[in-house]
Amino acid sequence: MTTDDGGWSFASAREPARFAAAEHRRFPGAEHALGAGHATLCGIPEVQLDVYRHLFGPDDARACPRCREEAAAASSVACVQERLHDKVLTAAPGALRTWLLDVLRNGAEIDVWISGPADRIAVHAHADRITDGAEIVKDLLAAPAHIGIARVVQPFGEFVVLLPEHTGPIIAWADR
């Protein structure tokens, strides 16, 4: 997304809110939007629903009219760059952190952002290419813990951000 002056911004890149699709068990046929408060946007409690592994489609012919209206009126949500930026703000200060925050503010592409058991997702960290921060990355990936990994693409390499559950982010650099 770009601003009126041709630049990129978090505000211009905000995304529409998304909701899980659900159907009332006793009254099937209409799809509803499941909100954050354990109820559909039209007020049906989650305990009365079958929740699906796809998103509510407000343009779908089966969409509940009230959920459609509420979904359209819902506030937009932060783009992926803004969400990662906010997490990186909690990382220890340093040159990589400053540089990464700057590229995220300018809409840098996030190639991967996943989470799971460190030993199962370690391959996504490209640890063999890391030139700055390799030791701490290898240590975190060897630990039996749940972790997030995000890679932010740059023309000549990529930032590798590890997001441990109980500590601040770790930022590393990997050459191409």
Side-chain angles (χ1 to χ4, degrees):
M1 303 278 175
T2 59
T3 59
D4 291 338
D5 65 358
W8 188 94
S9 73
F10 289 150
S12 68
R14 291 191 67 83
E15 302 168 350
R18 294 179 288 193
F19 304 94
E23 190 172 73
H24 194 288
R25 286 188 191 112
R26 292 184 54 209
F27 306 102
E31 274 198 356
H32 299 272
L34 181 61
H38 302 291
T40 64
L41 298 182
C42 65
I44 303 168
E46 186 175 11
V47 297
Q48 298 176 15
L49 303 170
D50 288 326
V51 180
Y52 297 109
R53 295 191 75 124
H54 67 266
L55 296 175
F56 172 74
D59 297 329
D60 188 300
R62 296 180 349 122
C64 162
R66 182 153 174 228
C67 285
R68 179 182 293 134
E69 288 175 18
E70 295 292 328
S75 298
S76 60
V77 297
C79 64
V80 66
Q81 289 88 350
E82 185 175 1
R83 292 191 306 266
L84 184 57
H85 176 274
D86 291 350
K87 290 187 179 298
V88 170
L89 283 173
T90 66
L96 280 178
R97 176 183 176 261
T98 300
W99 185 18
L100 176 56
L101 289 170
D102 185 53
V103 302
L104 288 169
R105 285 184 196 113
N106 287 296
E109 176 188 350
I110 298 173
D111 188 40
V112 166
W113 189 351
I114 61 170
S115 61
D119 61 337
R120 294 183 61 196
I121 66 169
V123 65
H124 297 285
H126 294 176
D128 58 326
R129 296 191 348 232
I130 292 178
T131 57
D132 190 347
E135 287 306 311
I136 192 162
V137 167
K138 288 177 184 174
D139 289 346
L140 280 170
L141 294 175
H146 189 86
I147 196 164
I149 298 171
R151 292 196 329 258
V152 181
V153 178
Q154 291 296 283
F156 40 87
E158 62 188 359
F159 293 97
V160 178
V161 183
L162 272 63
L163 301 156
E165 283 188 314
H166 304 295
T167 62
I170 302 300
I171 303 165
W173 177 259
D175 288 333
R176 286 237 176 242

